[in-house]
Amino acid sequence: FMPFYYKCNEKSFPNPFKSGGKKRVSHYEQSNVDPVLYYILVLISLTGLSTLLGLTDFIDVRETSKDEDLVSKHDARLKVDPYILQYISRRVAYGGDNAEDESKVELPPLKLIRRFEYKFHIPQIEVVMLHFTSPAPNGGELLHLVEVYKAPELLNQISRFLNKVIVWFAKFSSSPSKKE
């Protein structure tokens, strides 16, 4: 999840191979968001209420594999930066702790399979959501969700705060519990 105005660079989407032995994750990556946390976000952002009341425009919902579908049909600022796709490929390739050198790992291809574009009228949020697949290290297939949004500044500030809360909650809920 990232705002449309965010400029991608090495700091925002770090290279896991250049992390001093530690896996580094972008603060925009939400790998621990389960369906419950996602729907909490839908409730808090008012996008669910907007849809429930019929105040959501479904601009585009379809299966696709075209590169031009990485950009909004109505606002060219809503687009997926190619660096994000490189970052996802590196994260998949790095997958396990056995990868020590970037030159020894082949980056898996990402395939765009689905796109959604919405405008939620109550919170004034526009979203482009894309689903990508890639080969998993174990031979299966991984699904990746990339969402780029545009919202009023107040909602962007609330989103930053909620992002921190969700990250904290995800870390807290996934940490091993101590038994005494």
Side-chain angles (χ1 to χ4, degrees):
F1 302 101
M2 66 181 295
F4 77 96
Y5 58 81
Y6 196 77
K7 301 298 179 216
C8 297
N9 58 40
E10 185 67 22
K11 185 178 178 185
S12 58
F13 293 92
N15 186 338
F17 294 101
K18 297 177 182 174
S19 61
K22 295 181 182 177
K23 289 184 188 177
R24 290 172 51 200
V25 178
S26 166
H27 60 280
Y28 282 104
E29 182 174 349
Q30 301 298 330
S31 59
N32 294 326
V33 175
D34 61 14
V36 173
L37 285 175
Y38 185 80
Y39 285 107
I40 289 172
L41 181 62
V42 167
L43 287 172
I44 293 171
S45 69
L46 301 177
T47 57
L49 180 62
S50 186
T51 302
L52 184 66
L53 295 176
L55 297 171
T56 298
D57 294 338
F58 297 89
I59 297 168
D60 191 20
V61 178
R62 63 189 161 90
E63 306 288 318
T64 185
S65 61
K66 299 176 183 173
D67 285 342
E68 63 262 19
D69 288 332
L70 299 176
V71 179
S72 168
K73 302 296 181 199
H74 294 281
D75 186 343
R77 295 177 297 173
L78 276 170
K79 62 183 176 184
V80 177
D81 190 298
Y83 196 86
I84 295 167
L85 304 180
Q86 295 169 14
Y87 174 76
I88 293 170
S89 284
R90 289 195 317 256
R91 289 280 294 151
V92 171
Y94 189 67
D97 292 326
N98 55 351
E100 297 178 12
D101 185 351
E102 189 171 6
S103 65
K104 295 179 184 177
V105 177
E106 184 177 331
L107 296 180
L110 292 179
K111 179 182 175 190
L112 177 62
I113 60 167
R114 195 173 297 117
R115 87 180 305 276
F116 305 88
E117 188 168 347
Y118 306 102
K119 180 173 183 178
F120 301 97
H121 290 281
I122 291 176
Q124 294 299 302
I125 297 174
E126 296 177 45
V127 175
V128 172
M129 182 189 319
L130 302 168
H131 291 174
F132 294 88
T133 59
S134 69
N138 65 1
E141 192 172 56
L142 296 173
L143 178 66
H144 310 278
L145 166 75
V146 175
E147 192 170 295
V148 182
Y149 64 89
K150 183 175 98 176
E153 184 54 35
L154 177 61
L155 286 177
N156 284 329
Q157 291 175 5
I158 292 169
S159 173
R160 287 182 200 114
F161 172 75
L162 291 176
N163 187 22
K164 291 176 183 179
V165 170
I166 289 172
V167 169
W168 177 85
F169 185 76
K171 286 179 184 177
F172 176 75
S173 66
S174 64
S175 65
S177 59
K178 294 181 181 180
K179 294 183 179 179
E180 295 185 27

